[in-house]
Amino acid sequence: MLLAGEVALVTGAARGIGLATVRLMLQHGAKVGLADIDETVGVATCSELQKEFSRNAATFIPTDVTDSMQLRRMFQTTIKEFGKVSIVCNNAGVADEQNWKKMIAVNMVAMMESTHLAVEFMSHTRGGEGGVVINVSSMGGILPMPFGPSYSASKFGIVGFTRSMTECLERDGIRVNCVCPEFTDTAMLATASMTSEQLEMVQSVGILQPEQVAEAILQLATDSSKAGAVMTVTMKRGIDFFLFPGDPGYSSKKSKL
Ligand SMILES: NC(=O)c1ccc[n+]([C@@H]2O[C@H](COP(=O)([O-])OP(=O)(O)OC[C@H]3O[C@@H](n4cnc5c(N)ncnc54)[C@H](O)[C@@H]3O)[C@@H](O)[C@H]2O)c1
Ligand SMILES: CC/C=C\C[C@H](O)/C=C/C=C\C=C\C=C\[C@@H](O)[C@@H](O)C/C=C\CCC(=O)O
């Protein structure tokens, strides 16, 4: 029971990586607020989880993360229901190159806004207990993705933002970290329009299961030594940390992918 007494908020929780994360957090004793724009699937999923775990362990909060008011209400509702928020997993995301401004709003701007709200609601300086924020980026936030340049930009943005939020630890008692998974077996990947060459590239890299990414998120939620960390999850190397020039240990480790 690694998360007994913790209260988590997960966005994009109705399916895929978000749902696998919620399930693992519930298994480890957390109470969880599930936020998603898809109310029909979100309500049904949450009701199944309440039957499996406990009625009081999970609540669904219909939320479009690009709407500032709804994002704030998501925090307020979770605190009203469970008394606090101590873990925030900003996971909601889309892959849609045609609507790239909307994609930047969901993948990057909303993650930044939610992180700022996490600081507002959880900071020691405001009487909060502190905690941890985990932003879900992608290997496309470290490597270029020629078939998804705007998607890649949104995920690079999250890596840069997360690495720059280290002051939150000392000032607010909040660790902000991110996870960069490779291709993962979810609806996002299944519905992506790709050429046969791109599909071959994906097959040659391999496809993770959402539960593997959830394990990585759980590790970031419980490892109090990590702040501003960029965790990678890959088929070849499993869970690892990506080091950038200037990071302690960079010259000896030489980050590999
Ligand atoms: N699947 C992959 O290959 C892969 C790899 C690396 C990173 N990621 C990232 O992981 C995260 C989860 O993706 P997934 O693969 O589980 O995708 P998914 O499409 O299965 O799930 C995404 C969820 O986000 C929700 N969502 C979308 N827009 C929203 C909004 N405006 N407000 C609230 N919720 C919204 C959807 O309704 C859905 O439930 C995303 O940030 C994605 O970029 C995915
Ligand atoms: C289409 C949307 C679905 C998923 C996107 C997602 O977030 C996953 C991204 C994962 C990896 C992206 C890798 C990009 C790689 C490119 O630079 C490519 O040219 C390199 C080729 C192989 C990479 C080898 C490896 O990862 O081991």
Side-chain angles (χ1 to χ4, degrees), residues 95 138-140 143-145 151 181-183 189 192 194 201 205 236:
S138 160
M139 280 305 288
L143 295 172
M145 284 180 62
Y151 179 87
E182 264 178 352
F183 301 105
L189 187 59
M194 290 193 214
M201 188 276 275
V205 171
K236 248 189 254 169

Side-chain angles (χ1 to χ4, degrees), residues 9-181:
L9 187 44
V10 179
T11 70
R15 67 184 193 198
I17 291 170
L19 177 56
T21 301
V22 169
R23 181 173 288 284
L24 190 61
M25 286 177 167
L26 288 168
Q27 281 165 0
H28 280 280
K31 300 202 167 181
V32 186
L34 291 80
D36 204 287
I37 197 170
D38 189 337
E39 189 163 358
T40 310
V41 177
V43 166
T45 302
C46 187
S47 138
E48 287 304 310
L49 291 169
Q50 286 172 336
K51 277 184 215 144
E52 190 180 336
F53 293 92
S54 135
R55 191 165 172 69
N56 302 324
T59 191
F60 178 71
I61 310 147
T63 310
D64 178 349
V65 294
T66 64
D67 181 319
S68 301
M69 299 278 283
Q70 292 187 33
L71 212 46
R72 177 171 289 277
R73 198 193 55 201
M74 171 183 92
F75 279 87
Q76 290 167 334
T77 306
T78 307
I79 291 167
K80 197 170 164 202
E81 187 84 15
F82 297 130
K84 66 173 186 180
V85 177
S86 53
I87 302 168
V88 178
C89 179
N90 291 313
N91 162 77
V94 292
D96 184 355
E97 290 295 312
Q98 302 307 315
N99 296 308
W100 60 267
K101 286 189 183 173
K102 171 79 181 177
M103 181 166 62
I104 296 288
V106 177
N107 293 5
M108 189 167 79
V109 179
M111 280 213 196
M112 293 163 67
E113 191 163 14
S114 178
T115 304
H116 288 308
L117 282 165
V119 171
E120 185 181 324
F121 283 98
M122 290 156 57
S123 173
H124 286 165
T125 65
R126 292 166 177 252
E129 289 180 18
V132 58
V133 175
I134 301 138
N135 292 324
V136 180
S137 177
S138 160
M139 280 305 288
I142 297 176
L143 295 172
M145 284 180 62
F147 56 98
S150 300
Y151 179 87
S152 182
S154 73
K155 296 300 184 176
F156 265 75
I158 288 304
V159 170
F161 179 75
T162 302
R163 293 180 62 216
S164 306
M165 291 293 278
T166 44
E167 278 185 8
C168 289
L169 181 54
E170 197 162 330
R171 190 189 55 210
D172 306 296
I174 297 170
R175 298 176 281 115
V176 184
N177 296 304
C178 68
V179 62
C180 296

Side-chain angles (χ1 to χ4, degrees), residues 234-248:
T234 62
M235 291 296 286
K236 248 189 254 169
R237 303 174 65 82
I239 292 174
D240 201 359
F241 287 92
F242 193 84
L243 300 182
F244 294 82
D247 284 345

